[in-house]
Amino acid sequence: MTKPTHIINISVVALLTFFLIACTKTKGDGSGDVLVSIGHSNLTKEDLQKELPAGLPPEDSTKISRAFIRSWIDSHLISEIAARNIGDLTEIDRMTEQYRNDLIAYEYRKRMYDDHLKNSLSKDSIEAYYNSHKAELILQRPIIKGIYLKIPNDSPALKKAKKLYCSDKTEDIDKLEKECLNGAIHYDYFKDRWVDWERIEALIPEDFGSNPNAFLTSHDKVEISQGGFTYLLYISEYVTSGNIMPYQYAEETIKDILAYQQRAQYDRKLRIDLLKEAEDNGEITINCALE
């Protein structure tokens, strides 16, 4: 029987606390939260906890903690030894500073874009892109709309579900959802959105062959019973691979493309504006030609 999530989480915390206390005790020098020290570098309990994924099962928590500590030790030992043997770290310090500056600049530009333009793409601009780039928006895999259910064979709801799931009447779907879902393991209504065929195909224990286009053009439903469960799929609409994406399906892809273009333009303008502001305020001196 699956444990409730809150019980599992409490177990992980308890195990981790025990593990961390054990690590600290073995040090025996009153270092408190420090688990490992190498030179001027310290690994603390807090550092370790930040690296552990949430919701780990108890048996994995200690294993991952120990692996991270070993990795930290390896990395910092090599770093300490290398620092003593390399001697001149001027170039490494320069590269570190450059990397830090690049990270700060990237985060600033990202926040500025998110604050000012992230949600500014208009429906008209998305539709215009779709209409002028249809030849590039070609499906690599078929997509479908429909209804999918997985129901135990011994469920009293199975018989009624088989009668209702292929219906195009709103009242039948309402009845399906009200009277049959308590007995279902999985239910997905996606007649209002396009879904990759591969995602639905993966839910059904059946080999549909290597030509999904051929399957979809000759089937509008699937009913398979296997392993104590019945799998029901109604395909209300489909578009085979090689065809132009429907606008509804292409919309998110177009948003990503336009957002990338918009962000690049915003970045260029932001750099120009920041340079002008710095020049106006006397915060920068340039003694060479930039163009």
Side-chain angles (χ1 to χ4, degrees), residues 126 129-140 242-247 249-251 253-254 257:
I126 296 170
Y129 186 95
Y130 177 78
N131 290 328
S132 59
H133 292 80
K134 284 183 178 180
E136 303 163 20
L137 299 168
I138 303 300
L139 285 170
Q140 301 303 309
N243 287 294
I244 296 171
M245 297 178 185
Y247 174 78
Y249 185 79
E251 190 172 2
T253 298
I254 295 171
I257 294 171

Coordinates of all heavy atoms in Angstrom, one line a residue, residues 126 129-140 242-247 249-251 253-254 257:
I126 N 0.6 36.6 -33.7 CA 0.7 35.1 -33.7 C 0.0 34.6 -35.0 O 0.6 33.7 -35.7 CB 0.1 34.5 -32.5 CG1 0.9 34.9 -31.2 CG2 0.1 33.0 -32.6 CD1 0.3 34.5 -29.9
Y129 N 2.0 35.4 -38.1 CA 3.2 34.5 -38.3 C 2.7 33.2 -38.9 O 3.3 32.6 -39.8 CB 3.9 34.3 -37.0 CG 5.2 33.5 -37.1 CD1 6.4 34.2 -37.3 CD2 5.2 32.1 -37.1 CE1 7.6 33.4 -37.4 CE2 6.3 31.4 -37.3 CZ 7.5 32.1 -37.5 OH 8.7 31.3 -37.6
Y130 N 1.6 32.7 -38.3 CA 1.1 31.4 -38.7 C 0.7 31.4 -40.2 O 1.1 30.5 -41.0 CB -0.1 31.0 -37.9 CG -0.8 29.7 -38.3 CD1 -0.3 28.5 -38.0 CD2 -2.0 29.7 -39.1 CE1 -0.9 27.3 -38.4 CE2 -2.6 28.5 -39.5 CZ -2.0 27.3 -39.1 OH -2.6 26.1 -39.5
N131 N 0.0 32.4 -40.6 CA -0.4 32.5 -42.0 C 0.7 32.7 -43.0 O 0.6 32.2 -44.2 CB -1.4 33.7 -42.2 CG -2.7 33.4 -41.5 OD1 -3.2 32.3 -41.4 ND2 -3.4 34.5 -40.9
S132 N 1.8 33.3 -42.6 CA 2.9 33.5 -43.5 C 4.0 32.5 -43.4 O 5.0 32.5 -44.2 CB 3.5 34.9 -43.3 OG 4.0 35.0 -41.9
H133 N 3.9 31.6 -42.5 CA 5.0 30.5 -42.3 C 4.4 29.1 -42.3 O 5.0 28.2 -41.7 CB 5.7 30.8 -41.0 CG 6.6 32.0 -41.0 ND1 6.0 33.3 -40.8 CD2 7.9 32.2 -41.2 CE1 7.0 34.2 -40.9 NE2 8.1 33.6 -41.1
K134 N 3.2 28.9 -42.9 CA 2.6 27.6 -42.8 C 3.5 26.5 -43.4 O 3.5 25.4 -42.9 CB 1.3 27.6 -43.6 CG 0.2 28.3 -42.8 CD -1.2 28.2 -43.6 CE -2.3 28.9 -42.8 NZ -3.6 28.8 -43.5
A135 N 4.3 26.9 -44.4 CA 5.1 25.9 -45.1 C 6.2 25.3 -44.1 O 6.7 24.2 -44.4 CB 5.8 26.5 -46.3
E136 N 6.5 26.1 -43.1 CA 7.5 25.7 -42.1 C 6.9 24.9 -40.9 O 7.6 24.3 -40.1 CB 8.3 26.9 -41.6 CG 8.9 27.7 -42.7 CD 9.3 29.1 -42.2 OE1 9.5 29.3 -41.0 OE2 9.5 30.0 -43.1
L137 N 5.6 25.0 -40.7 CA 4.9 24.5 -39.6 C 4.3 23.1 -40.0 O 3.1 23.0 -40.0 CB 3.9 25.4 -39.1 CG 4.4 26.8 -38.6 CD1 3.3 27.8 -38.3 CD2 5.2 26.6 -37.3
I138 N 5.2 22.2 -40.2 CA 4.7 20.8 -40.7 C 4.8 19.8 -39.5 O 5.8 19.8 -38.8 CB 5.6 20.4 -41.9 CG1 5.5 21.4 -43.0 CG2 5.1 19.0 -42.3 CD1 4.1 21.6 -43.5
L139 N 3.8 19.0 -39.4 CA 3.8 18.0 -38.3 C 4.8 16.9 -38.6 O 4.8 16.3 -39.7 CB 2.4 17.4 -38.2 CG 1.3 18.2 -37.5 CD1 0.0 17.6 -37.7 CD2 1.6 18.4 -36.0
Q140 N 5.6 16.6 -37.6 CA 6.6 15.5 -37.7 C 5.9 14.2 -37.2 O 6.3 13.1 -37.5 CB 7.8 15.8 -36.8 CG 8.6 17.0 -37.3 CD 9.0 17.0 -38.7 OE1 9.6 16.0 -39.2 NE2 8.7 18.0 -39.5
G242 N 3.2 15.2 -41.7 CA 3.4 15.7 -43.1 C 2.5 16.8 -43.5 O 2.7 17.4 -44.5
N243 N 1.5 17.0 -42.7 CA 0.5 18.1 -42.9 C 0.8 19.3 -42.1 O 1.6 19.3 -41.1 CB -0.9 17.6 -42.6 CG -1.4 16.6 -43.6 OD1 -1.7 17.0 -44.8 ND2 -1.6 15.4 -43.2
I244 N 0.2 20.5 -42.5 CA 0.4 21.7 -41.8 C -0.2 21.6 -40.4 O -1.3 21.1 -40.2 CB -0.2 22.9 -42.5 CG1 0.6 23.1 -43.9 CG2 -0.1 24.2 -41.7 CD1 -0.1 24.1 -44.8
M245 N 0.5 22.1 -39.4 CA -0.1 22.1 -38.0 C -1.4 23.0 -38.0 O -1.4 24.0 -38.5 CB 0.9 22.7 -37.0 CG 2.2 22.0 -36.9 SD 3.3 22.9 -35.7 CE 4.8 22.0 -35.8
P246 N -2.4 22.5 -37.3 CA -3.6 23.4 -37.0 C -3.1 24.6 -36.2 O -2.2 24.4 -35.4 CB -4.5 22.5 -36.2 CG -4.0 21.1 -36.5 CD -2.6 21.1 -36.7
Y247 N -3.8 25.7 -36.4 CA -3.4 26.9 -35.7 C -3.3 26.7 -34.2 O -2.4 27.1 -33.5 CB -4.3 28.1 -36.0 CG -4.0 29.3 -35.2 CD1 -3.0 30.1 -35.5 CD2 -4.8 29.6 -34.0 CE1 -2.7 31.3 -34.7 CE2 -4.5 30.7 -33.2 CZ -3.5 31.5 -33.6 OH -3.2 32.6 -32.8
Y249 N -2.7 24.1 -32.4 CA -1.5 23.3 -32.0 C -0.2 24.1 -32.2 O 0.7 24.0 -31.5 CB -1.5 22.0 -32.9 CG -0.4 21.1 -32.5 CD1 -0.5 20.2 -31.3 CD2 0.8 21.0 -33.2 CE1 0.5 19.4 -31.0 CE2 1.8 20.1 -32.8 CZ 1.7 19.3 -31.7 OH 2.7 18.4 -31.3
A250 N -0.2 24.9 -33.3 CA 1.0 25.6 -33.6 C 1.2 26.9 -32.7 O 2.3 27.4 -32.7 CB 1.0 26.1 -35.1
E251 N 0.2 27.3 -32.1 CA 0.2 28.6 -31.3 C 1.4 28.6 -30.3 O 2.1 29.7 -30.3 CB -1.1 28.8 -30.6 CG -1.3 30.2 -30.1 CD -2.7 30.4 -29.5 OE1 -3.5 29.5 -29.6 OE2 -2.9 31.6 -29.0
T253 N 4.2 26.9 -30.3 CA 5.4 27.0 -31.0 C 5.7 28.4 -31.5 O 6.9 28.9 -31.4 CB 5.4 26.0 -32.1 OG1 5.2 24.6 -31.6 CG2 6.7 26.0 -32.9
I254 N 4.7 29.0 -32.1 CA 4.9 30.3 -32.6 C 5.2 31.3 -31.5 O 6.0 32.2 -31.7 CB 3.6 30.8 -33.4 CG1 3.4 29.9 -34.6 CG2 3.7 32.2 -33.8 CD1 2.1 30.1 -35.3
I257 N 8.8 31.1 -30.8 CA 9.6 31.7 -31.8 C 9.6 33.3 -31.7 O 10.6 33.9 -31.8 CB 9.1 31.3 -33.2 CG1 9.4 29.8 -33.4 CG2 9.8 32.1 -34.3 CD1 8.7 29.2 -34.7

